[in-house]
Amino acid sequence: MSEQCPNCLSIRIGKNNYGKKAAGVVGASIGAYSGFTAVTAGAQTGLAIGVRAGPVGAAIGGIGGAIIGAFLGGASGASAGVVFGDVLDDCVLDNHRCLECGYSFTADSGSKNDIR
């Protein structure tokens, strides 16, 4: 059964997904930062060890590792943020919006048929 507006009973319903969007951006930012800092620490260790192999190899390995770590951290942070935002949208925010009357509501708010 599709969602129905509790105000006008229309079935033309859209989703806002504000929580999913905001939490995804925050998660990506935090994930990229944490990935970058973790790999930067590893790059410093690699630099200390890589001095024996040559300064060019150590520098390229350290910079490449930091960039890859930032991308992987950002991707994992974004996916975690989107999952959290999806829960926020479904449980806390008025995620559903009626395209007929503009009324915002949650999926669990119930329709007028649920009143007993």
Side-chain angles (χ1 to χ4, degrees):
M1 182 176 160
S2 64
E3 294 294 328
Q4 190 175 20
C5 176
N7 190 36
C8 72
L9 303 178
S10 172
I11 58 170
R12 293 190 56 220
I13 305 298
K15 286 189 172 185
N16 295 326
N17 292 332
Y18 295 134
K20 185 185 286 189
K21 293 172 188 173
V25 169
V26 171
S29 302
I30 292 171
Y33 178 74
S34 65
F36 183 77
T37 55
V39 173
T40 301
Q44 289 174 349
T45 304
L47 179 66
I49 295 171
V51 169
R52 295 179 193 159
V56 175
I60 291 174
I63 292 170
I67 291 171
I68 290 171
F71 282 136
L72 291 177
S76 62
S79 64
V82 165
V83 169
F84 176 70
D86 197 29
V87 171
L88 250 165
D89 282 336
D90 289 341
C91 298
V92 178
L93 301 175
D94 290 340
N95 193 38
H96 293 78
R97 179 179 34 88
C98 178
L99 299 176
E100 293 288 330
C101 68
Y103 184 73
S104 294
F105 60 97
T106 61
D108 295 334
S109 66
S111 63
K112 294 182 180 182
N113 296 336
D114 291 339
I115 299 174
R116 295 182 184 154

